[in-house]
Amino acid sequence: MNYVFFDIECACVYKNVAKICVFGYCVADENFNILEKEDILINPNGKFHLTDHGGDGIVLPYDYGEFKKYPDFKKFYPRIKQLLEGEDKLVFGHAAINDVKYLNLETRRYKLPAFRFRFADTQVIYMAMTETFDRQAGLESLTQIFEIDYTPHRAADDAYATMCIAREMCEKEHCTLPELLEKFNIRFGKTENYQYGNCTSARRTAYLREKSRIKRERGEKRAKFNDFVYGYRVRPQSNEWKGKRFSFSRSIEEELSLAKSLVKEIVRRGGKYSLKLSGCNAFVEEEGDDSVRSGAAHKLLEEGKIGEIITLSEFCRQYMPKEE
DNA sequence: TTCCGACCGCACTTCTTCAC
DNA sequence: GTGAAGAAGTGCGGTCGGAA
């Protein structure tokens, strides 16, 4: 069983067009001994749209004029197909779904039969291993973490760096690459019939499920609070806050029992509660709240569109009746 | 019947990170 | 530079129901 690590560079990438100019790969045996490592330079049959916008884009370490001397993707298609397809190998990439997408776009562009292979993603494996799902682990940042020396955006070097990352992860976990995949419940990505699905991990799936649950519960809390606010109709006991409109930060709104008691007190004194920030007389927030909503409230205060901002503790101390 | 306010879905914005 | 994805937040606008 050999491992094939690959990476692709494109002359330009748009929504439905990705003109591949380099297919870099690195084939290794099960002990990560390199058997082959090569950059296949391809004529992209199109202009380069990476660096001609003032230098902020990426710079490929190739002479762009050279690419015109090489055959186009159609010519290299059988070789790339032979590299990626077959039961005797495991294919890996870093953020591989992008490269798989480019392969599909190019096969469509040149009216070639679709690729059909499975692949695993070192980014997905690393995220599962370290349980860091809130941010993607870029190739460059991982090479720094694992102290791997390489030339960024030289495709074969990127593929080599991907292999090194896989090797380092195996060393860290004291296992082989297939064992690593099994250990972190990595499900292979797949491409066939010009369709593709990403490589996933059970941990990331669980993480996304949990995030979805939290989001749903936040939404439900918000809806419950809204239901309460708009359904709470009692006769005010004073006109102390008549014409005065209050609004709370999200974190307070989500503390349902607290938020409800605050609204009751506001209404009891003749005031009103509104979700809308602009135009409210007082915005109540917790100390150190740096949410977007609180930031917006502070901006509106500066613009004179909010009367005042009070902290929750100040609001409770001043206005909430003390429980006996 | 009309009007107004509440509800709620969804589009939009902003930000971050990553890819080439 | 362009493009994409995801997260978080905002606010518009259609719909509905209750009060006058």
Side-chain angles (χ1 to χ4, degrees):
Chain A
M1 173 73 72
N2 286 343
Y3 305 145
V4 179
F5 299 88
F6 80 104
D7 184 55
I8 283 169
E9 306 296 337
C10 295
C12 62
V13 177
Y14 300 110
K15 199 171 181 176
N16 295 311
V17 180
K19 296 177 179 172
I20 296 176
C21 60
V22 192
F23 180 92
Y25 69 94
C26 179
V27 181
D29 65 16
E30 291 180 0
N31 296 312
F32 297 104
N33 296 306
I34 296 173
L35 306 175
E36 285 179 63
K37 178 176 176 252
E38 188 189 352
D39 261 347
I40 299 176
L41 271 63
I42 300 167
N43 182 346
N45 281 334
K47 287 182 180 175
F48 282 80
H49 286 269
L50 298 170
T51 55
D52 45 346
H53 292 287
D56 280 349
I58 64 162
V59 179
L60 300 180
Y62 310 94
D63 177 3
Y64 294 169
E66 282 288 301
F67 288 96
K68 287 184 181 169
K69 296 178 187 170
Y70 294 91
D72 63 18
F73 184 78
K74 206 168 182 171
K75 162 84 179 169
F76 293 110
Y77 168 80
R79 193 166 156 206
I80 295 170
K81 195 173 174 64
Q82 181 264 324
L83 273 165
L84 298 174
E85 296 186 354
E87 294 302 313
D88 56 335
K89 64 197 70 168
L90 286 178
V91 176
F92 294 86
H94 193 83
I97 193 71
N98 293 314
D99 297 329
V100 170
K101 184 173 89 176
Y102 305 150
L103 285 172
N104 273 294
L105 288 172
E106 283 294 68
T107 46
R108 272 188 183 277
R109 180 181 165 215
Y110 288 100
K111 297 184 173 59
L112 296 163
F115 284 104
R116 186 171 183 275
F117 63 92
R118 295 191 312 160
F119 60 94
D121 192 323
T122 48
Q123 188 179 58
V124 172
I125 303 168
Y126 180 81
M127 287 163 80
M129 194 176 100
T130 54
E131 300 207 9
T132 48
F133 303 110
D134 55 340
R135 56 188 303 172
Q136 287 174 282
L139 186 65
E140 284 193 63
S141 68
L142 288 196
T143 55
Q144 283 165 14
I145 289 167
F146 291 119
E147 296 177 349
I148 297 160
D149 194 24
Y150 87 118
T151 309
H153 302 302
R154 185 180 290 281
D157 264 18
D158 282 0
Y160 169 73
T162 304
M163 185 204 74
C164 293
I165 289 164
R167 186 187 64 209
E168 294 296 322
M169 288 192 290
C170 289
E171 274 184 22
K172 199 162 183 281
E173 296 295 323
H174 309 292
C175 63
T176 65
L177 196 42
E179 284 168 353
L180 190 73
L181 298 176
E182 198 179 330
K183 186 170 185 177
F184 295 105
N185 284 308
I186 305 297
R187 216 178 74 193
F188 282 93
K190 199 169 80 175
T191 178
E192 61 181 334
N193 298 326
Y194 306 104
Q195 305 292 315
Y196 48 90
N198 204 357
C199 166
T200 56
S201 70
R203 287 189 186 181
R204 181 169 151 80
T205 305
Y207 166 81
L208 291 175
R209 199 179 297 130
E210 176 65 7
K211 284 210 78 161
S212 165
R213 184 190 64 78
I214 291 168
K215 189 178 177 183
R216 189 183 64 245
E217 284 183 5
R218 286 186 74 177
E220 283 169 2
K221 277 184 184 174
R222 193 183 163 198
K224 273 185 187 168
F225 179 67
N226 289 352
D227 285 349
F228 169 76
V229 167
Y230 296 120
Y232 188 65
R233 293 192 181 89
V234 295
R235 192 183 296 277
Q237 291 177 22
S238 78
N239 288 327
E240 183 185 351
W241 286 347
K242 190 174 167 58
K244 199 164 181 178
R245 189 152 63 80
F246 292 80
S247 197
F248 299 157
S249 67
R250 274 284 146 78
S251 61
I252 298 174
E253 285 187 349
E254 284 167 11
E255 287 287 331
L256 266 182
S257 61
L258 171 70
K260 282 182 180 179
S261 60
L262 295 177
V263 170
K264 282 179 185 174
E265 186 60 18
I266 288 166
V267 174
R268 196 180 72 81
R269 292 171 185 241
K272 287 185 84 175
Y273 184 84
S274 169
L275 299 167
K276 197 177 175 185
L277 290 183
S278 182
C280 75
N281 302 87
F283 177 75
V284 185
E285 65 175 11
E286 286 182 291
E287 278 173 50
D289 187 335
D290 57 355
S291 67
V292 174
R293 185 172 166 87
S294 285
H298 281 268
K299 193 163 178 280
L300 288 169
L301 180 71
E302 283 173 21
E303 293 167 0
K305 292 175 183 169
I306 277 183
E308 61 172 336
I309 292 178
I310 4 174
T311 63
L312 177 62
S313 54
E314 180 72 8
F315 183 84
C316 292
R317 194 168 52 78
Q318 280 193 34
Y319 305 114
M320 290 301 284
K322 287 193 176 62
E323 288 184 22
E324 296 300 324

